[in-house]
């Protein structure tokens, strides 16, 4: 594995290997002992868009492995503000670091960066396209909290049109056996047709709904996403669909499913849901550390061979 750009670049076996390595990383974290697995290595976090969890969890993961971090997040104080091209920026930074984590608003930016970088590129989100490391931590959460991925029933709720976390996860789940999916969204935010056609070609069982009431009670995972205001070309279109779904305590109580959310949350899950046993989104966020530790370790080691 030279880069991690899209979930379409890796297969089920590689996914399982990363999840197994993440389990080992979590066990090492629990010992509270300092690690030196990537001592002397440098991670560059290059973020052209805002981020809290992804950037900080990658930086934490690298430091937990004994490595160092350099970062570019304020574009106004970088050479980008002087007109430096994206390709030149990547070429320069790849000479400073052993691995780069990149977030960019343009779809395909991470793939382009991988063609010019001397070191591995990890896609931390390119527009509404892909977010593979979020997908891997989502799969790890499902594995840890449910005990399996094969055979699960999962309902995706909210922004399925622009939600890159959803796009990546749906593709990854299609690699597993007997997974059933519900897609719950307003008509304006339905799952992109190319993804739907891909699922049909693979004979994956799925259902498109507009109401949570149409979803079976025996689902294993309720995956909630926020309506992403920043992705809408027309603010009036956002106003039409904002607040379309709200997960309330009374809906959750007594249900067997777990609730996941890539965060940040706006108003789609009530705060009094947080202390229910079904709520796993903060644990999901923590799982980003061992998963990203596993990814950093694998990519750096694979590229040194």
């Amino acid at each position: 594995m030279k880069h991690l750009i899209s979930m379409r670049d890796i297969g089920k076996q590689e996914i399982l290997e990363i999840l197994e390595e993440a389990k080992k990383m979590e066990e090492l974290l629990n010992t509270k002992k300092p690690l030196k697995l990537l001592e002397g290595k440098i991670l560059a976090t290059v973020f052209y868009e805002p981020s809290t969890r992804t950037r900080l969890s990658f930086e934490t993961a690298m430091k937990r492995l004994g490595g160092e971090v350099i970062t570019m997040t304020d574009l106004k104080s970088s050479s980008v503000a002087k007109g430096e091209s994206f390709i030149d920026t990547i070429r320069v930074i790849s000479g400073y670091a052993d691995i780069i984590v990149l977030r960019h608003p343009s779809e395909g930016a991470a793939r382009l960066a991988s063609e010019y970088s001397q070191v591995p590129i990890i896609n931390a989100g390119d527009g509404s396209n892909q977010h593979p490391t979020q997908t891997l931590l989502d799969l790890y959460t499902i594995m840890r909290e449910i005990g399996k991925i094969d055979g699960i029933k999962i309902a995706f709720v909210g922004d399925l049109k622009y939600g890159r976390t959803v796009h990546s996860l749906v593709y990854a789940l299609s690699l597993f056996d007997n997974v059933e999916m519900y897609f719950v969204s307003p008509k304006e935010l339905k799952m992109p047709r190319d993804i739907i056609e891909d699922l049909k070609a693979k004979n994956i069982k799925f259902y498109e709904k507009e109401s949570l009431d149409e979803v079976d009670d025996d689902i294993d995972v309720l995956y909630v996403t926020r309506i992403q205001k920043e992705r809408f070309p027309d603010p009036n279109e956002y106003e039409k669909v904002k607040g379309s779904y709200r997960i309330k305590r009374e809906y959750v109580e007594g249900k067997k499913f777990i609730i996941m959310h890539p965060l940040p949350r706006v108003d789609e899950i009530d705060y009094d849901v947080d202390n229910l046993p079904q709520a796993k989104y903060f644990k999901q966020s923590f799982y980003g550390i061992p998963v990203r530790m596993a990814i950093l370790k694998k990519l750096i080691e694979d590229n040194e061979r």
Side-chain angles (χ1 to χ4, degrees):
M1 201 160 79
K2 189 173 182 182
H3 305 280
L4 181 54
I5 307 300
S6 166
M7 289 307 296
R8 294 180 182 272
D9 297 337
I10 59 177
K12 181 178 179 180
Q13 189 55 43
E14 281 181 297
I15 290 172
L16 293 174
E17 286 172 7
I18 292 170
L19 299 187
E20 186 58 36
E21 185 67 23
K23 185 178 179 184
K24 294 175 184 176
M25 293 297 106
E26 186 182 353
E27 290 168 355
L28 287 173
L29 279 175
N30 290 335
T31 67
K32 306 295 184 182
K33 294 178 181 177
L35 305 175
K36 297 183 179 182
L37 296 173
L38 292 184
E39 188 175 29
K41 302 299 181 184
I42 296 175
L43 162 69
T45 52
V46 181
F47 280 66
Y48 286 77
E49 279 189 321
S51 172
T52 301
R53 278 151 299 281
T54 302
R55 182 174 63 83
L56 290 182
S57 66
F58 261 116
E59 293 180 0
T60 300
M62 191 62 172
K63 288 179 178 292
R64 293 292 189 199
L65 289 164
E68 298 294 332
V69 177
I70 57 175
T71 188
M72 188 190 90
T73 56
D74 184 2
L75 301 186
K76 292 178 182 178
S77 63
S78 75
S79 290
V80 173
K82 300 176 185 177
E84 182 175 64
S85 73
F86 172 66
I87 290 170
D88 282 357
T89 298
I90 294 299
R91 280 174 161 161
V92 169
I93 295 173
S94 72
Y96 298 159
D98 299 285
I99 190 165
I100 296 172
V101 175
L102 172 69
R103 171 169 290 183
H104 197 279
S106 299
E107 294 185 18
R111 182 80 64 193
L112 179 64
S114 71
E115 294 172 6
Y116 293 92
S117 174
Q118 303 170 46
V119 299
I121 296 286
I122 297 175
N123 183 6
D126 58 336
S128 59
N129 186 27
Q130 290 274 326
H131 195 348
T133 67
Q134 178 70 45
T135 296
L136 289 164
L137 78 87
D138 289 344
L139 292 172
Y140 187 70
T141 302
I142 293 169
M143 183 78 83
R144 289 282 282 109
E145 297 300 323
I146 295 178
K148 64 176 184 176
I149 301 175
D150 288 321
I152 67 163
K153 290 185 179 180
I154 181 169
F156 294 93
V157 181
D159 181 358
L160 308 187
K161 180 179 180 179
Y162 297 112
R164 60 192 172 200
T165 60
V166 170
H167 300 165
S168 290
L169 183 54
V170 166
Y171 173 75
L173 287 171
S174 74
L175 302 176
F176 289 82
D177 298 330
N178 302 315
V179 173
E180 286 187 35
M181 307 186 209
Y182 286 86
F183 301 137
V184 184
S185 70
K187 288 180 180 178
E188 299 88 341
L189 296 176
K190 291 174 72 173
M191 187 67 71
R193 293 302 94 183
D194 62 315
I195 295 176
I196 293 297
E197 292 306 316
D198 187 47
L199 294 176
K200 287 180 179 177
K202 294 177 178 176
N203 293 316
I204 306 294
K205 192 178 288 188
F206 69 90
Y207 312 90
E208 292 187 279
K209 306 291 183 182
E210 290 185 35
S211 170
L212 268 173
D213 295 334
E214 299 177 83
V215 174
D216 285 352
D217 285 341
D218 66 344
I219 59 170
D220 301 289
V221 181
L222 182 67
Y223 194 100
V224 184
T225 66
R226 71 185 173 93
I227 308 294
Q228 302 179 82
K229 184 177 182 180
E230 68 273 19
R231 302 286 175 210
F232 282 76
D234 182 353
N236 293 324
E237 291 301 310
Y238 169 74
E239 292 298 324
K240 290 178 185 177
V241 296
K242 73 174 184 179
S244 296
Y245 304 100
R246 188 158 190 156
I247 308 302
K248 296 182 177 293
R249 187 182 181 96
E250 52 266 32
Y251 172 75
V252 176
E253 287 180 321
K255 300 288 199 317
K256 70 159 192 166
F257 56 67
I258 64 169
I259 305 173
M260 296 173 60
H261 192 308
L263 301 175
R265 160 179 57 182
V266 181
D267 59 3
E268 57 276 4
I269 301 177
D270 282 355
Y271 284 95
D272 61 1
V273 172
D274 295 354
N275 59 1
L276 292 176
Q278 293 91 337
K280 301 297 182 184
Y281 28 92
F282 293 114
K283 206 165 186 182
Q284 175 186 355
S285 180
F286 162 75
Y287 286 143
I289 304 296
V291 169
R292 287 173 172 133
M293 287 172 70
I295 292 166
L296 289 168
K297 180 173 177 289
K298 178 175 176 57
L299 274 171
I300 289 177
E301 289 180 351
D302 282 3
N303 279 271
E304 287 182 339
R305 287 176 187 154

